[in-house]
Amino acid sequence: MQLEDQLNATFAALADPTRRAILARLASGETSVTELAKPFDISLPGISKHLKVLEHAGLISRGREAQWRPCRLEAEPLREVADWVEAYRRYWEQSFDRLDDYLRVLKTKEKGE
């Protein structure tokens, strides 16, 4: 998947609060679909749909160990999102630095008057 497609899939997956909560739970370690579904008022097929979106985005992987179907977090796409957002953080820091400089100039002019 190309970076732009990966970012689109990741942001689409993260747009839903249930999916974000699932990822937060998986950050503590792998668990079964049944365990993931417990805190939600959603059917297992509904949770499964959310898991498919997360899996398509590469944010989780699902295994098969006998009767247990563990899900685990795959954090690489989140790093790619963080890298993408980093450029905008630098933009805002530079904007605030310019604003600080401008405010210093105004204060200096005020004192000089």
Side-chain angles (χ1 to χ4, degrees):
M1 193 181 298
Q2 293 180 347
L3 179 59
E4 186 175 318
D5 293 338
Q6 179 63 58
L7 284 173
N8 290 342
T10 301
F11 279 121
L14 295 174
D16 186 274
T18 300
R19 292 192 286 267
R20 291 192 305 270
I22 289 169
L23 290 177
R25 167 58 187 88
L26 290 174
S28 299
E30 71 181 27
T31 191
S32 69
V33 174
T34 305
E35 284 299 313
L36 281 174
K38 279 185 180 179
F40 303 104
D41 189 23
I42 300 174
S43 66
L44 279 177
I47 289 292
S48 187
K49 286 180 183 179
H50 284 295
L51 294 176
K52 285 179 185 175
V53 171
L54 291 169
E55 193 171 27
H56 171 73
L59 291 165
I60 68 164
S61 61
R62 294 197 266 184
R64 186 173 280 163
E65 297 172 15
Q67 297 300 316
W68 195 51
R69 306 276 190 260
C71 295
R72 64 188 61 81
L73 178 67
E74 300 294 341
E76 181 62 24
L78 296 174
R79 187 185 62 75
E80 292 168 0
V81 167
D83 291 347
W84 183 82
V85 169
E86 178 66 18
Y88 294 94
R89 184 188 64 78
R90 285 192 301 269
Y91 166 80
W92 283 109
E93 284 179 352
Q94 291 168 357
S95 295
F96 288 135
D97 289 345
R98 286 192 303 274
L99 178 59
D100 283 343
D101 292 343
Y102 179 70
L103 292 174
R104 273 192 226 102
V105 167
L106 288 179
K107 284 183 180 181
T108 303
K109 284 183 180 180
E110 237 178 51
K111 289 180 181 179
E113 291 178 4

